[in-house]
Amino acid sequence: MNNKLFSVIFSLAVAIALVGPLFAAGGGTALQHANVNVRDTAAVQRGAKLFVNYCLSCHSASYMRYNRLAEDLGLDEELVMDNLVFADVKIGETMDIAMRPADAEAWLGKVPPDLSLISRSRGADWLYTYMLTFYQDESGGWNNLALPNVSMPHVFWQLQGIQKPVYATHDGIEVVDHLTLGKPGLQSPEEYEGTVRDLVTFLDYLGEPAKVKRKNVGVWVLLFLALFALIAYALKAEYWRDVH
Ligand code: HEC
């Protein structure tokens, strides 16, 4: 390959690598920061409860078993059975749903995807933005800034209230400029952001359950390395004393 061709391909590859993630998010709306912390077990627990109550009727999380959830969240299996498992399932089963995909498609227009790995494909910030930007458009139906023409209803509308779009014209095209709270919900906007953060923290944990352990182990590994550096340094000082 000649040099010029190589440099053109190389700079294209760099450009795609830099710009790609911007497009990956899709929807064209600016993402808000979720600031989730999967080591905050209380937040993961609250998120798990929200997930079971508000999402599991349509979305499965078939990579997660209830007993794994219990272990990771430091919960008694009995507590999990009483608080999180409503259907007639056993503690060792995965978080599946009863709805048949064909029915889901008929009712909702689309099959709700499994959410086990959604935090990996979409990212926490996208999920956070998604759950914050549902609004009611002129047709009276639900729409969403992160996923335009979404076929999922706003399941948290009673908590958040109903957002209305404010339009602006950019280059002759009418677009949603921002959203306003047309009808307040049971939670204040700050409380609702906290609720969504808990939910996204759970989804982030769900995408990589080992993350919690990995982060905990990581602290010990770093401490060990720091301690070992001290020992190695003391050893070096000891050896070199004889050489000098
Ligand atoms: C009434 C059924 C229903 C409920 C309840 C529901 N969803 Fe959905 N969800 C859907 C459908 C249908 C889609 C497909 C939307 C589309 O692509 O237009 C979807 C799509 C999504 C997506 C986008 C997936 C993607 O990458 O395209 C996410 C994320 C999501 N749901 C999260 C949730 C969460 C979190 C909850 C609970 C708070 C929830 N959903 C509750 C039906 C539901």
PDB file of all heavy atoms in Angstrom, residues 50-51 54-59 99 108 110-113 115 118 121-122 126-127 130-131 147 149-153 155-156 199 203, ligand 1:
ATOM      1  N   LEU A  50     -37.952  -1.041  41.653  1.00  0.00           N
ATOM      2  CA  LEU A  50     -38.611  -0.289  40.579  1.00  0.00           C
ATOM      3  C   LEU A  50     -38.714  -1.149  39.328  1.00  0.00           C
ATOM      4  O   LEU A  50     -39.747  -1.198  38.656  1.00  0.00           O
ATOM      5  CB  LEU A  50     -37.812   0.984  40.250  1.00  0.00           C
ATOM      6  CG  LEU A  50     -37.841   2.094  41.292  1.00  0.00           C
ATOM      7  CD1 LEU A  50     -36.735   3.102  41.024  1.00  0.00           C
ATOM      8  CD2 LEU A  50     -39.200   2.787  41.290  1.00  0.00           C
ATOM      9  N   PHE A  51     -37.608  -1.846  39.014  1.00  0.00           N
ATOM     10  CA  PHE A  51     -37.580  -2.664  37.802  1.00  0.00           C
ATOM     11  C   PHE A  51     -38.662  -3.741  37.850  1.00  0.00           C
ATOM     12  O   PHE A  51     -39.409  -3.931  36.890  1.00  0.00           O
ATOM     13  CB  PHE A  51     -36.201  -3.299  37.635  1.00  0.00           C
ATOM     14  CG  PHE A  51     -36.088  -4.139  36.388  1.00  0.00           C
ATOM     15  CD1 PHE A  51     -35.878  -3.544  35.159  1.00  0.00           C
ATOM     16  CD2 PHE A  51     -36.221  -5.517  36.440  1.00  0.00           C
ATOM     17  CE1 PHE A  51     -35.799  -4.303  33.999  1.00  0.00           C
ATOM     18  CE2 PHE A  51     -36.144  -6.293  35.288  1.00  0.00           C
ATOM     19  CZ  PHE A  51     -35.929  -5.681  34.063  1.00  0.00           C
ATOM     20  N   TYR A  54     -42.220  -1.947  37.690  1.00  0.00           N
ATOM     21  CA  TYR A  54     -42.608  -1.138  36.533  1.00  0.00           C
ATOM     22  C   TYR A  54     -42.160  -1.684  35.181  1.00  0.00           C
ATOM     23  O   TYR A  54     -42.625  -1.211  34.160  1.00  0.00           O
ATOM     24  CB  TYR A  54     -42.042   0.289  36.665  1.00  0.00           C
ATOM     25  CG  TYR A  54     -42.704   1.121  37.724  1.00  0.00           C
ATOM     26  CD1 TYR A  54     -42.196   1.178  39.010  1.00  0.00           C
ATOM     27  CD2 TYR A  54     -43.843   1.873  37.424  1.00  0.00           C
ATOM     28  CE1 TYR A  54     -42.790   1.960  39.990  1.00  0.00           C
ATOM     29  CE2 TYR A  54     -44.448   2.657  38.390  1.00  0.00           C
ATOM     30  CZ  TYR A  54     -43.916   2.703  39.671  1.00  0.00           C
ATOM     31  OH  TYR A  54     -44.508   3.477  40.620  1.00  0.00           O
ATOM     32  N   CYS A  55     -41.212  -2.594  35.142  1.00  0.00           N
ATOM     33  CA  CYS A  55     -40.657  -2.980  33.836  1.00  0.00           C
ATOM     34  C   CYS A  55     -40.831  -4.455  33.512  1.00  0.00           C
ATOM     35  O   CYS A  55     -41.000  -4.827  32.359  1.00  0.00           O
ATOM     36  CB  CYS A  55     -39.164  -2.653  33.756  1.00  0.00           C
ATOM     37  SG  CYS A  55     -38.691  -1.097  34.521  1.00  0.00           S
ATOM     38  N   LEU A  56     -40.766  -5.281  34.540  1.00  0.00           N
ATOM     39  CA  LEU A  56     -40.726  -6.726  34.335  1.00  0.00           C
ATOM     40  C   LEU A  56     -42.014  -7.300  33.737  1.00  0.00           C
ATOM     41  O   LEU A  56     -42.050  -8.433  33.301  1.00  0.00           O
ATOM     42  CB  LEU A  56     -40.387  -7.412  35.666  1.00  0.00           C
ATOM     43  CG  LEU A  56     -39.900  -8.865  35.630  1.00  0.00           C
ATOM     44  CD1 LEU A  56     -38.674  -9.004  34.751  1.00  0.00           C
ATOM     45  CD2 LEU A  56     -39.591  -9.357  37.033  1.00  0.00           C
ATOM     46  N   SER A  57     -43.080  -6.486  33.712  1.00  0.00           N
ATOM     47  CA  SER A  57     -44.295  -6.978  33.073  1.00  0.00           C
ATOM     48  C   SER A  57     -44.106  -7.082  31.561  1.00  0.00           C
ATOM     49  O   SER A  57     -44.728  -7.907  30.902  1.00  0.00           O
ATOM     50  CB  SER A  57     -45.471  -6.058  33.400  1.00  0.00           C
ATOM     51  OG  SER A  57     -45.093  -4.714  33.221  1.00  0.00           O
ATOM     52  N   CYS A  58     -43.253  -6.250  31.014  1.00  0.00           N
ATOM     53  CA  CYS A  58     -43.018  -6.269  29.566  1.00  0.00           C
ATOM     54  C   CYS A  58     -41.612  -6.750  29.199  1.00  0.00           C
ATOM     55  O   CYS A  58     -41.435  -7.428  28.202  1.00  0.00           O
ATOM     56  CB  CYS A  58     -43.210  -4.880  28.970  1.00  0.00           C
ATOM     57  SG  CYS A  58     -44.907  -4.286  28.981  1.00  0.00           S
ATOM     58  N   HIS A  59     -40.605  -6.301  29.970  1.00  0.00           N
ATOM     59  CA  HIS A  59     -39.222  -6.636  29.632  1.00  0.00           C
ATOM     60  C   HIS A  59     -38.695  -7.755  30.525  1.00  0.00           C
ATOM     61  O   HIS A  59     -38.849  -7.694  31.742  1.00  0.00           O
ATOM     62  CB  HIS A  59     -38.287  -5.444  29.867  1.00  0.00           C
ATOM     63  CG  HIS A  59     -38.550  -4.279  28.977  1.00  0.00           C
ATOM     64  ND1 HIS A  59     -38.047  -4.171  27.711  1.00  0.00           N
ATOM     65  CD2 HIS A  59     -39.247  -3.135  29.190  1.00  0.00           C
ATOM     66  CE1 HIS A  59     -38.417  -3.022  27.177  1.00  0.00           C
ATOM     67  NE2 HIS A  59     -39.157  -2.370  28.054  1.00  0.00           N
ATOM     68  N   MET A  99     -45.534 -12.756  29.178  1.00  0.00           N
ATOM     69  CA  MET A  99     -46.120 -12.318  27.913  1.00  0.00           C
ATOM     70  C   MET A  99     -45.446 -12.993  26.718  1.00  0.00           C
ATOM     71  O   MET A  99     -44.229 -13.085  26.667  1.00  0.00           O
ATOM     72  CB  MET A  99     -45.967 -10.797  27.800  1.00  0.00           C
ATOM     73  CG  MET A  99     -46.757 -10.222  26.684  1.00  0.00           C
ATOM     74  SD  MET A  99     -47.000  -8.433  26.834  1.00  0.00           S
ATOM     75  CE  MET A  99     -45.455  -7.810  27.387  1.00  0.00           C
ATOM     76  N   LEU A 108     -48.341  -3.745  21.491  1.00  0.00           N
ATOM     77  CA  LEU A 108     -47.480  -2.567  21.620  1.00  0.00           C
ATOM     78  C   LEU A 108     -46.864  -2.119  20.296  1.00  0.00           C
ATOM     79  O   LEU A 108     -46.268  -1.062  20.219  1.00  0.00           O
ATOM     80  CB  LEU A 108     -46.344  -2.857  22.623  1.00  0.00           C
ATOM     81  CG  LEU A 108     -46.814  -3.221  24.037  1.00  0.00           C
ATOM     82  CD1 LEU A 108     -45.718  -3.944  24.795  1.00  0.00           C
ATOM     83  CD2 LEU A 108     -47.232  -1.968  24.785  1.00  0.00           C
ATOM     84  N   LYS A 110     -44.366  -3.403  19.002  1.00  0.00           N
ATOM     85  CA  LYS A 110     -42.978  -3.846  18.985  1.00  0.00           C
ATOM     86  C   LYS A 110     -42.759  -4.778  20.162  1.00  0.00           C
ATOM     87  O   LYS A 110     -43.419  -4.639  21.182  1.00  0.00           O
ATOM     88  CB  LYS A 110     -42.050  -2.645  19.160  1.00  0.00           C
ATOM     89  CG  LYS A 110     -41.339  -2.310  17.883  1.00  0.00           C
ATOM     90  CD  LYS A 110     -40.334  -1.226  18.074  1.00  0.00           C
ATOM     91  CE  LYS A 110     -39.707  -0.906  16.721  1.00  0.00           C
ATOM     92  NZ  LYS A 110     -38.965   0.323  16.749  1.00  0.00           N
ATOM     93  N   VAL A 111     -41.831  -5.699  20.031  1.00  0.00           N
ATOM     94  CA  VAL A 111     -41.532  -6.592  21.146  1.00  0.00           C
ATOM     95  C   VAL A 111     -40.562  -5.874  22.090  1.00  0.00           C
ATOM     96  O   VAL A 111     -39.515  -5.436  21.660  1.00  0.00           O
ATOM     97  CB  VAL A 111     -40.902  -7.902  20.641  1.00  0.00           C
ATOM     98  CG1 VAL A 111     -40.623  -8.836  21.807  1.00  0.00           C
ATOM     99  CG2 VAL A 111     -41.825  -8.570  19.641  1.00  0.00           C
ATOM    100  N   PRO A 112     -40.936  -5.723  23.370  1.00  0.00           N
ATOM    101  CA  PRO A 112     -40.013  -5.066  24.301  1.00  0.00           C
ATOM    102  C   PRO A 112     -38.728  -5.893  24.415  1.00  0.00           C
ATOM    103  O   PRO A 112     -38.799  -7.085  24.693  1.00  0.00           O
ATOM    104  CB  PRO A 112     -40.782  -5.072  25.632  1.00  0.00           C
ATOM    105  CG  PRO A 112     -42.206  -5.315  25.260  1.00  0.00           C
ATOM    106  CD  PRO A 112     -42.191  -6.131  24.009  1.00  0.00           C
ATOM    107  N   PRO A 113     -37.566  -5.289  24.187  1.00  0.00           N
ATOM    108  CA  PRO A 113     -36.324  -6.076  24.212  1.00  0.00           C
ATOM    109  C   PRO A 113     -35.949  -6.524  25.622  1.00  0.00           C
ATOM    110  O   PRO A 113     -36.349  -5.896  26.596  1.00  0.00           O
ATOM    111  CB  PRO A 113     -35.287  -5.101  23.656  1.00  0.00           C
ATOM    112  CG  PRO A 113     -35.841  -3.745  23.927  1.00  0.00           C
ATOM    113  CD  PRO A 113     -37.325  -3.877  23.864  1.00  0.00           C
ATOM    114  N   LEU A 115     -33.723  -6.675  28.772  1.00  0.00           N
ATOM    115  CA  LEU A 115     -32.917  -5.542  29.250  1.00  0.00           C
ATOM    116  C   LEU A 115     -31.630  -5.956  29.974  1.00  0.00           C
ATOM    117  O   LEU A 115     -30.947  -5.112  30.541  1.00  0.00           O
ATOM    118  CB  LEU A 115     -33.760  -4.645  30.166  1.00  0.00           C
ATOM    119  CG  LEU A 115     -34.925  -3.896  29.494  1.00  0.00           C
ATOM    120  CD1 LEU A 115     -35.627  -2.985  30.487  1.00  0.00           C
ATOM    121  CD2 LEU A 115     -34.462  -3.080  28.285  1.00  0.00           C
ATOM    122  N   ILE A 118     -28.825  -4.001  28.350  1.00  0.00           N
ATOM    123  CA  ILE A 118     -29.158  -2.697  27.771  1.00  0.00           C
ATOM    124  C   ILE A 118     -28.171  -1.608  28.203  1.00  0.00           C
ATOM    125  O   ILE A 118     -27.860  -0.698  27.431  1.00  0.00           O
ATOM    126  CB  ILE A 118     -30.626  -2.300  28.115  1.00  0.00           C
ATOM    127  CG1 ILE A 118     -31.099  -1.138  27.238  1.00  0.00           C
ATOM    128  CG2 ILE A 118     -30.812  -1.978  29.571  1.00  0.00           C
ATOM    129  CD1 ILE A 118     -31.372  -1.483  25.824  1.00  0.00           C
ATOM    130  N   SER A 121     -25.262  -1.704  25.779  1.00  0.00           N
ATOM    131  CA  SER A 121     -25.453  -1.248  24.406  1.00  0.00           C
ATOM    132  C   SER A 121     -25.819   0.235  24.374  1.00  0.00           C
ATOM    133  O   SER A 121     -25.388   0.956  23.492  1.00  0.00           O
ATOM    134  CB  SER A 121     -26.522  -2.080  23.705  1.00  0.00           C
ATOM    135  OG  SER A 121     -27.750  -2.006  24.384  1.00  0.00           O
ATOM    136  N   ARG A 122     -26.574   0.718  25.343  1.00  0.00           N
ATOM    137  CA  ARG A 122     -27.018   2.110  25.306  1.00  0.00           C
ATOM    138  C   ARG A 122     -26.181   3.033  26.187  1.00  0.00           C
ATOM    139  O   ARG A 122     -26.043   4.209  25.894  1.00  0.00           O
ATOM    140  CB  ARG A 122     -28.475   2.201  25.742  1.00  0.00           C
ATOM    141  CG  ARG A 122     -29.470   1.639  24.753  1.00  0.00           C
ATOM    142  CD  ARG A 122     -29.503   2.437  23.468  1.00  0.00           C
ATOM    143  NE  ARG A 122     -30.748   2.186  22.729  1.00  0.00           N
ATOM    144  CZ  ARG A 122     -31.068   2.807  21.598  1.00  0.00           C
ATOM    145  NH1 ARG A 122     -30.250   3.686  21.070  1.00  0.00           N
ATOM    146  NH2 ARG A 122     -32.200   2.533  20.984  1.00  0.00           N
ATOM    147  N   TRP A 126     -27.553   7.401  28.420  1.00  0.00           N
ATOM    148  CA  TRP A 126     -28.682   7.323  27.475  1.00  0.00           C
ATOM    149  C   TRP A 126     -29.937   6.858  28.206  1.00  0.00           C
ATOM    150  O   TRP A 126     -31.024   7.430  28.034  1.00  0.00           O
ATOM    151  CB  TRP A 126     -28.357   6.368  26.309  1.00  0.00           C
ATOM    152  CG  TRP A 126     -29.403   6.415  25.228  1.00  0.00           C
ATOM    153  CD1 TRP A 126     -29.426   7.241  24.144  1.00  0.00           C
ATOM    154  CD2 TRP A 126     -30.615   5.628  25.161  1.00  0.00           C
ATOM    155  NE1 TRP A 126     -30.562   7.015  23.400  1.00  0.00           N
ATOM    156  CE2 TRP A 126     -31.313   6.041  23.996  1.00  0.00           C
ATOM    157  CE3 TRP A 126     -31.163   4.637  25.971  1.00  0.00           C
ATOM    158  CZ2 TRP A 126     -32.539   5.477  23.615  1.00  0.00           C
ATOM    159  CZ3 TRP A 126     -32.387   4.076  25.594  1.00  0.00           C
ATOM    160  CH2 TRP A 126     -33.066   4.502  24.427  1.00  0.00           C
ATOM    161  N   LEU A 127     -29.787   5.825  29.046  1.00  0.00           N
ATOM    162  CA  LEU A 127     -30.950   5.286  29.769  1.00  0.00           C
ATOM    163  C   LEU A 127     -31.558   6.342  30.689  1.00  0.00           C
ATOM    164  O   LEU A 127     -32.780   6.473  30.791  1.00  0.00           O
ATOM    165  CB  LEU A 127     -30.539   4.050  30.583  1.00  0.00           C
ATOM    166  CG  LEU A 127     -30.158   2.829  29.745  1.00  0.00           C
ATOM    167  CD1 LEU A 127     -29.507   1.769  30.613  1.00  0.00           C
ATOM    168  CD2 LEU A 127     -31.390   2.264  29.033  1.00  0.00           C
ATOM    169  N   TYR A 130     -33.315   8.826  28.545  1.00  0.00           N
ATOM    170  CA  TYR A 130     -34.526   8.191  28.016  1.00  0.00           C
ATOM    171  C   TYR A 130     -35.667   8.273  29.036  1.00  0.00           C
ATOM    172  O   TYR A 130     -36.780   8.688  28.705  1.00  0.00           O
ATOM    173  CB  TYR A 130     -34.202   6.737  27.671  1.00  0.00           C
ATOM    174  CG  TYR A 130     -35.342   5.880  27.163  1.00  0.00           C
ATOM    175  CD1 TYR A 130     -36.016   6.191  25.994  1.00  0.00           C
ATOM    176  CD2 TYR A 130     -35.718   4.720  27.854  1.00  0.00           C
ATOM    177  CE1 TYR A 130     -37.044   5.379  25.516  1.00  0.00           C
ATOM    178  CE2 TYR A 130     -36.739   3.908  27.382  1.00  0.00           C
ATOM    179  CZ  TYR A 130     -37.400   4.245  26.221  1.00  0.00           C
ATOM    180  OH  TYR A 130     -38.414   3.436  25.760  1.00  0.00           O
ATOM    181  N   MET A 131     -35.386   7.887  30.278  1.00  0.00           N
ATOM    182  CA  MET A 131     -36.448   7.854  31.282  1.00  0.00           C
ATOM    183  C   MET A 131     -36.871   9.255  31.722  1.00  0.00           C
ATOM    184  O   MET A 131     -37.914   9.427  32.340  1.00  0.00           O
ATOM    185  CB  MET A 131     -36.034   7.025  32.504  1.00  0.00           C
ATOM    186  CG  MET A 131     -35.855   5.536  32.253  1.00  0.00           C
ATOM    187  SD  MET A 131     -37.214   4.684  31.393  1.00  0.00           S
ATOM    188  CE  MET A 131     -38.587   4.928  32.528  1.00  0.00           C
ATOM    189  N   LEU A 147     -35.612   8.512  22.044  1.00  0.00           N
ATOM    190  CA  LEU A 147     -36.064   7.476  21.115  1.00  0.00           C
ATOM    191  C   LEU A 147     -37.354   7.964  20.444  1.00  0.00           C
ATOM    192  O   LEU A 147     -38.453   7.596  20.862  1.00  0.00           O
ATOM    193  CB  LEU A 147     -36.304   6.168  21.881  1.00  0.00           C
ATOM    194  CG  LEU A 147     -36.381   4.871  21.073  1.00  0.00           C
ATOM    195  CD1 LEU A 147     -35.059   4.588  20.378  1.00  0.00           C
ATOM    196  CD2 LEU A 147     -36.730   3.690  21.982  1.00  0.00           C
ATOM    197  N   ASN A 149     -40.663   8.676  18.425  1.00  0.00           N
ATOM    198  CA  ASN A 149     -41.754   7.769  18.027  1.00  0.00           C
ATOM    199  C   ASN A 149     -41.699   6.438  18.769  1.00  0.00           C
ATOM    200  O   ASN A 149     -41.999   5.384  18.204  1.00  0.00           O
ATOM    201  CB  ASN A 149     -41.757   7.527  16.521  1.00  0.00           C
ATOM    202  CG  ASN A 149     -41.919   8.826  15.773  1.00  0.00           C
ATOM    203  OD1 ASN A 149     -42.680   9.696  16.196  1.00  0.00           O
ATOM    204  ND2 ASN A 149     -41.170   8.982  14.697  1.00  0.00           N
ATOM    205  N   VAL A 150     -41.313   6.489  20.002  1.00  0.00           N
ATOM    206  CA  VAL A 150     -41.187   5.289  20.837  1.00  0.00           C
ATOM    207  C   VAL A 150     -42.521   4.563  20.956  1.00  0.00           C
ATOM    208  O   VAL A 150     -43.582   5.204  20.982  1.00  0.00           O
ATOM    209  CB  VAL A 150     -40.666   5.702  22.229  1.00  0.00           C
ATOM    210  CG1 VAL A 150     -41.710   6.510  22.986  1.00  0.00           C
ATOM    211  CG2 VAL A 150     -40.240   4.505  23.041  1.00  0.00           C
ATOM    212  N   SER A 151     -42.477   3.231  21.006  1.00  0.00           N
ATOM    213  CA  SER A 151     -43.742   2.520  21.199  1.00  0.00           C
ATOM    214  C   SER A 151     -43.917   2.021  22.629  1.00  0.00           C
ATOM    215  O   SER A 151     -44.817   1.249  22.909  1.00  0.00           O
ATOM    216  CB  SER A 151     -43.882   1.371  20.193  1.00  0.00           C
ATOM    217  OG  SER A 151     -42.695   0.663  20.064  1.00  0.00           O
ATOM    218  N   MET A 152     -43.030   2.483  23.525  1.00  0.00           N
ATOM    219  CA  MET A 152     -43.202   2.125  24.941  1.00  0.00           C
ATOM    220  C   MET A 152     -43.969   3.258  25.635  1.00  0.00           C
ATOM    221  O   MET A 152     -43.686   4.416  25.435  1.00  0.00           O
ATOM    222  CB  MET A 152     -41.824   1.957  25.595  1.00  0.00           C
ATOM    223  CG  MET A 152     -41.840   1.926  27.106  1.00  0.00           C
ATOM    224  SD  MET A 152     -40.202   1.510  27.762  1.00  0.00           S
ATOM    225  CE  MET A 152     -40.190   2.464  29.268  1.00  0.00           C
ATOM    226  N   PRO A 153     -44.988   2.931  26.447  1.00  0.00           N
ATOM    227  CA  PRO A 153     -45.677   3.997  27.191  1.00  0.00           C
ATOM    228  C   PRO A 153     -44.779   4.523  28.314  1.00  0.00           C
ATOM    229  O   PRO A 153     -43.840   3.843  28.722  1.00  0.00           O
ATOM    230  CB  PRO A 153     -46.899   3.282  27.769  1.00  0.00           C
ATOM    231  CG  PRO A 153     -46.521   1.830  27.834  1.00  0.00           C
ATOM    232  CD  PRO A 153     -45.543   1.585  26.732  1.00  0.00           C
ATOM    233  N   VAL A 155     -44.041   4.651  31.662  1.00  0.00           N
ATOM    234  CA  VAL A 155     -44.540   3.891  32.809  1.00  0.00           C
ATOM    235  C   VAL A 155     -44.438   4.672  34.130  1.00  0.00           C
ATOM    236  O   VAL A 155     -45.099   4.345  35.103  1.00  0.00           O
ATOM    237  CB  VAL A 155     -43.814   2.532  32.955  1.00  0.00           C
ATOM    238  CG1 VAL A 155     -44.196   1.605  31.813  1.00  0.00           C
ATOM    239  CG2 VAL A 155     -42.309   2.709  33.036  1.00  0.00           C
ATOM    240  N   PHE A 156     -43.607   5.715  34.159  1.00  0.00           N
ATOM    241  CA  PHE A 156     -43.424   6.506  35.384  1.00  0.00           C
ATOM    242  C   PHE A 156     -44.236   7.806  35.368  1.00  0.00           C
ATOM    243  O   PHE A 156     -43.935   8.713  36.126  1.00  0.00           O
ATOM    244  CB  PHE A 156     -41.944   6.893  35.552  1.00  0.00           C
ATOM    245  CG  PHE A 156     -41.067   5.807  36.100  1.00  0.00           C
ATOM    246  CD1 PHE A 156     -39.687   5.860  35.882  1.00  0.00           C
ATOM    247  CD2 PHE A 156     -41.567   4.763  36.855  1.00  0.00           C
ATOM    248  CE1 PHE A 156     -38.845   4.881  36.402  1.00  0.00           C
ATOM    249  CE2 PHE A 156     -40.732   3.777  37.372  1.00  0.00           C
ATOM    250  CZ  PHE A 156     -39.383   3.837  37.141  1.00  0.00           C
ATOM    251  N   LEU A 199     -32.973   3.457  39.260  1.00  0.00           N
ATOM    252  CA  LEU A 199     -33.328   2.462  38.245  1.00  0.00           C
ATOM    253  C   LEU A 199     -32.136   2.195  37.316  1.00  0.00           C
ATOM    254  O   LEU A 199     -31.803   1.048  37.027  1.00  0.00           O
ATOM    255  CB  LEU A 199     -34.527   2.965  37.429  1.00  0.00           C
ATOM    256  CG  LEU A 199     -34.896   2.079  36.247  1.00  0.00           C
ATOM    257  CD1 LEU A 199     -35.659   0.862  36.721  1.00  0.00           C
ATOM    258  CD2 LEU A 199     -35.705   2.835  35.217  1.00  0.00           C
ATOM    259  N   LEU A 203     -29.886  -1.107  36.350  1.00  0.00           N
ATOM    260  CA  LEU A 203     -29.661  -1.587  34.982  1.00  0.00           C
ATOM    261  C   LEU A 203     -28.163  -1.703  34.695  1.00  0.00           C
ATOM    262  O   LEU A 203     -27.719  -2.600  33.982  1.00  0.00           O
ATOM    263  CB  LEU A 203     -30.320  -0.653  33.960  1.00  0.00           C
ATOM    264  CG  LEU A 203     -31.852  -0.631  33.975  1.00  0.00           C
ATOM    265  CD1 LEU A 203     -32.391   0.431  33.033  1.00  0.00           C
ATOM    266  CD2 LEU A 203     -32.424  -1.999  33.614  1.00  0.00           C
TER     267      LEU A 203
HETATM  268  C1  HEC B   1     -46.169  -1.839  28.512  1.00  0.00           C
HETATM  269  C2  HEC B   1     -44.932  -2.536  28.246  1.00  0.00           C
HETATM  270  C3  HEC B   1     -43.645  -1.878  28.697  1.00  0.00           C
HETATM  271  C4  HEC B   1     -43.275  -1.549  29.962  1.00  0.00           C
HETATM  272  C5  HEC B   1     -44.064  -1.718  31.253  1.00  0.00           C
HETATM  273  C6  HEC B   1     -41.912  -1.046  29.880  1.00  0.00           C
HETATM  274  N1  HEC B   1     -41.490  -1.048  28.578  1.00  0.00           N
HETATM  275 FE1  HEC B   1     -39.682  -0.506  27.887  1.00  0.00          FE
HETATM  276  N2  HEC B   1     -40.230  -0.878  25.982  1.00  0.00           N
HETATM  277  C7  HEC B   1     -41.456  -1.375  25.603  1.00  0.00           C
HETATM  278  C8  HEC B   1     -41.511  -1.439  24.144  1.00  0.00           C
HETATM  279  C9  HEC B   1     -42.689  -1.926  23.320  1.00  0.00           C
HETATM  280  C10 HEC B   1     -40.263  -0.980  23.677  1.00  0.00           C
HETATM  281  C11 HEC B   1     -39.806  -0.815  22.219  1.00  0.00           C
HETATM  282  C12 HEC B   1     -39.878   0.667  21.937  1.00  0.00           C
HETATM  283  C13 HEC B   1     -39.475   1.062  20.550  1.00  0.00           C
HETATM  284  O1  HEC B   1     -38.452   0.554  20.057  1.00  0.00           O
HETATM  285  O2  HEC B   1     -40.157   1.921  19.968  1.00  0.00           O
HETATM  286  C14 HEC B   1     -39.483  -0.626  24.861  1.00  0.00           C
HETATM  287  C15 HEC B   1     -38.210  -0.112  24.805  1.00  0.00           C
HETATM  288  C16 HEC B   1     -37.422   0.140  25.911  1.00  0.00           C
HETATM  289  C17 HEC B   1     -36.053   0.597  25.854  1.00  0.00           C
HETATM  290  C18 HEC B   1     -35.286   0.950  24.609  1.00  0.00           C
HETATM  291  C19 HEC B   1     -34.536  -0.240  24.109  1.00  0.00           C
HETATM  292  C20 HEC B   1     -33.721   0.133  22.921  1.00  0.00           C
HETATM  293  O3  HEC B   1     -32.504   0.155  23.045  1.00  0.00           O
HETATM  294  O4  HEC B   1     -34.300   0.415  21.860  1.00  0.00           O
HETATM  295  C21 HEC B   1     -35.623   0.709  27.135  1.00  0.00           C
HETATM  296  C22 HEC B   1     -34.261   1.157  27.622  1.00  0.00           C
HETATM  297  C23 HEC B   1     -36.723   0.338  27.991  1.00  0.00           C
HETATM  298  N3  HEC B   1     -37.801  -0.016  27.213  1.00  0.00           N
HETATM  299  C24 HEC B   1     -36.680   0.358  29.368  1.00  0.00           C
HETATM  300  C25 HEC B   1     -37.782   0.148  30.189  1.00  0.00           C
HETATM  301  C26 HEC B   1     -37.735   0.302  31.614  1.00  0.00           C
HETATM  302  C27 HEC B   1     -36.484   0.655  32.416  1.00  0.00           C
HETATM  303  C28 HEC B   1     -38.990   0.056  32.076  1.00  0.00           C
HETATM  304  C29 HEC B   1     -39.472   0.149  33.507  1.00  0.00           C
HETATM  305  C30 HEC B   1     -39.245   1.400  34.180  1.00  0.00           C
HETATM  306  C31 HEC B   1     -39.818  -0.273  30.929  1.00  0.00           C
HETATM  307  N4  HEC B   1     -39.047  -0.203  29.790  1.00  0.00           N
HETATM  308  C32 HEC B   1     -41.172  -0.623  30.969  1.00  0.00           C
HETATM  309  C33 HEC B   1     -42.495  -1.734  26.443  1.00  0.00           C
HETATM  310  C34 HEC B   1     -42.510  -1.560  27.815  1.00  0.00           C
END
